[in-house]
Amino acid sequence: MRKYLIPTAALIAIAGGTVVIAQAPTGVPGTKDVAKVTGGTYKVDGGHTQVVFAWDHMGFTNNMGTIAEPTGTLTLDKANPAASKVSAEFAIANLRTGVTKLDEHLMKADFFDAAKFPTATFVSTSVKPEGASGAEITGNLTIKGITKPVTLDAEFYGAGTNPMNKQENVGFVATGSIKRSEFGMGYAVPVVGDAIELKIIAGFQK
């Protein structure tokens, strides 16, 4: 029997004995061109936004976890970038480390106490543009009912029209760090590191 290789770029649909080949989109719709950002109000794209957090475990390993699927908004003021604002809310139940027992412990009172404090929030208080595509974002981070100021270094990642939903999408990457003990999560410090390194992959769409 002969075998026929179908190009991976093609989508095949067979109906009523007819083969229809539809060419999939080619190229990357997102671009590093800041001019593609129109500005205005965007909503968080929960399916493509996550916080990656990392901590030192007894000096042996640097472990990581994620919190995904937040909600929130971004207001981008192209004429006055310093007036831009961002806010996000994360469900603690969406936290995953890949280790079931650790995830269960993190939900308890030693750490997030998720039954009592089911969400974490970030609300910006100032935005300081840095160059053409960066910004220093300071805001109030609330975890476990405790609010502390946090500063993030953000960098524009890409923008354009999403061919799937025809909406304008913009993305950023931000980094920062916090001390978990300041948020009522000092369990096992200093044997397990107090400093939590953050990397936020942030997607927004109109």
Side-chain angles (χ1 to χ4, degrees), residues 94-134:
N94 290 340
L95 183 152
R96 297 289 185 275
T97 65
V99 181
T100 301
K101 287 186 177 180
L102 177 56
D103 290 349
E104 291 173 352
H105 191 186
L106 291 174
M107 296 298 112
K108 296 180 179 179
D110 286 337
F111 292 99
F112 288 94
D113 199 1
K116 187 176 181 180
F117 305 101
T119 61
T121 61
F122 177 82
V123 179
S124 67
T125 54
S126 73
V127 174
K128 296 180 181 179
E130 295 181 340
S133 60

Side-chain angles (χ1 to χ4, degrees), residues 33-44:
D33 184 2
V34 179
K36 294 292 184 180
V37 179
T38 63
T41 300
Y42 303 75
K43 64 180 180 180
V44 171

Side-chain angles (χ1 to χ4, degrees), residues 12-25:
I12 311 299
I14 301 178
T18 302
V19 177
V20 179
I21 300 179
Q23 193 70 22

